[in-house]
Amino acid sequence: QVMNLKNTGKFMVKKISIFLFIITLSTQTLAVTLQSLLDNGPLLSINKTSDGVFESVMSMTVIHAPFDLVWNTIIDINNYKNYMNRVLKSKIINEDENGLSITAEFEIDAPFFNMDYTLKHILDKNGKKIDVIQVKGDLEGSKWKWEFESQDEKTLVFYSGKTINFSSFLQKFEDKSKTISMGINIASVLETLNNIKRQSEKIFTEEKLRNNQ
């Protein structure tokens, strides 16, 4: 089934140019739909300056689970350590009483030394977005963002990020285009998005099985 792009609203119109490609074969032009591309896995966009220097990365995927379930999976930070690779610690230390933010501590298994940092998640469920900022520890200045489009029992998810100050050792070998930063950001964004996708779909499948019993 081909996705109706009009139904995704202004948010999708703004993003769609990144993910729609035209492939020319001989004299025929094949318009590859967004849906057919997503069927093969997450799509990735690398953002660079006009000089070709890496800035940030954004990935997009369809999660076969309702928006509320995907949202709850993302904010269930205490559970990250149970299914996300290399996450040794994920602990919520503060929740806004109005449900507007969550602050959590993390410890990540990384080469040479573990990384410890605290992130604040700024929640806007009505606007279907979560802004994540580093507030303490490693990765100073890093930031990420979740954005969503609800489609019945599917959720279109955008996850973008800019991870910086990840390793003083590795950054000694960084080139002008920030190739090392680009690689680390791509791996981080894709791994996080894929973990959330698998966990959300697993929970949704289990819920449907229970309801059918």
Side-chain angles (χ1 to χ4, degrees):
Q1 181 180 359
V2 176
M3 185 184 300
N4 186 343
L5 298 180
K6 293 182 180 178
N7 292 337
T8 61
K10 293 181 179 179
F11 172 75
M12 275 298 300
V13 172
K14 181 175 64 176
K15 303 289 188 182
I16 195 65
S17 60
I18 301 173
F19 300 103
L20 187 61
F21 302 92
I22 303 298
I23 299 178
T24 303
L25 299 175
S26 300
T27 59
Q28 296 181 336
T29 300
L30 174 64
V32 182
T33 67
L34 182 63
Q35 185 65 61
S36 65
L37 289 170
L38 286 168
D39 286 342
N40 293 319
L43 302 182
L44 187 72
S45 171
I46 299 171
N47 305 312
K48 297 183 179 181
T49 67
S50 59
D51 297 328
V53 179
F54 172 77
E55 275 286 300
S56 63
V57 64
M58 178 172 64
S59 189
M60 172 190 186
T61 196
V62 171
I63 297 179
H64 294 272
F67 165 66
D68 282 343
L69 190 151
V70 175
W71 178 275
N72 290 334
T73 301
I74 292 171
I75 66 173
D76 184 18
I77 296 170
N78 288 337
N79 197 34
Y80 281 13
K81 61 183 177 292
N82 296 322
Y83 67 89
M84 286 198 177
N85 297 330
R86 300 183 296 107
V87 177
L88 303 177
K89 174 184 177 182
S90 56
K91 180 181 179 183
I92 295 174
I93 58 173
N94 184 61
E95 290 188 70
D96 179 82
E97 61 182 12
N98 297 315
L100 299 179
S101 68
I102 294 174
T103 304
E105 295 177 336
F106 295 86
E107 181 180 357
I108 307 298
D109 181 13
F112 307 111
F113 59 88
N114 291 350
M115 291 188 293
D116 294 276
Y117 50 84
T118 302
L119 304 181
K120 183 175 183 179
H121 299 67
I122 303 168
L123 312 178
D124 181 2
K125 192 171 185 180
N126 290 333
K128 290 185 169 64
K129 65 179 181 179
I130 301 172
D131 288 291
V132 186
I133 57 174
Q134 185 270 5
V135 294
K136 184 180 179 182
D138 296 319
L139 307 184
E140 183 176 0
S142 298
K143 57 184 179 180
W144 304 265
K145 174 175 282 190
W146 295 94
E147 298 174 277
F148 313 88
E149 282 292 331
S150 179
Q151 302 172 351
D152 298 324
E153 291 189 347
K154 295 190 296 184
T155 307
L156 186 62
V157 181
F158 291 92
Y159 182 53
S160 57
K162 184 176 183 178
T163 301
I164 59 176
N165 296 319
F166 45 83
S167 168
S168 57
F169 175 76
L170 289 177
Q171 287 172 330
K172 292 178 181 178
F173 303 96
E174 189 72 278
D175 59 21
K176 292 182 179 179
S177 298
K178 296 188 176 179
T179 304
I180 293 176
S181 294
M182 181 171 65
I184 287 174
N185 275 266
I186 290 172
S188 174
V189 164
L190 286 176
E191 184 172 18
T192 300
L193 186 59
N194 282 326
N195 280 327
I196 292 295
K197 175 179 171 67
R198 284 192 295 268
Q199 181 70 1
S200 298
E201 292 177 346
K202 175 176 177 286
I203 294 171
F204 187 47
T205 299
E206 291 172 348
E207 286 185 355
K208 288 194 295 184
L209 288 174
R210 285 195 298 269
N211 292 335
N212 290 333
Q213 289 178 350

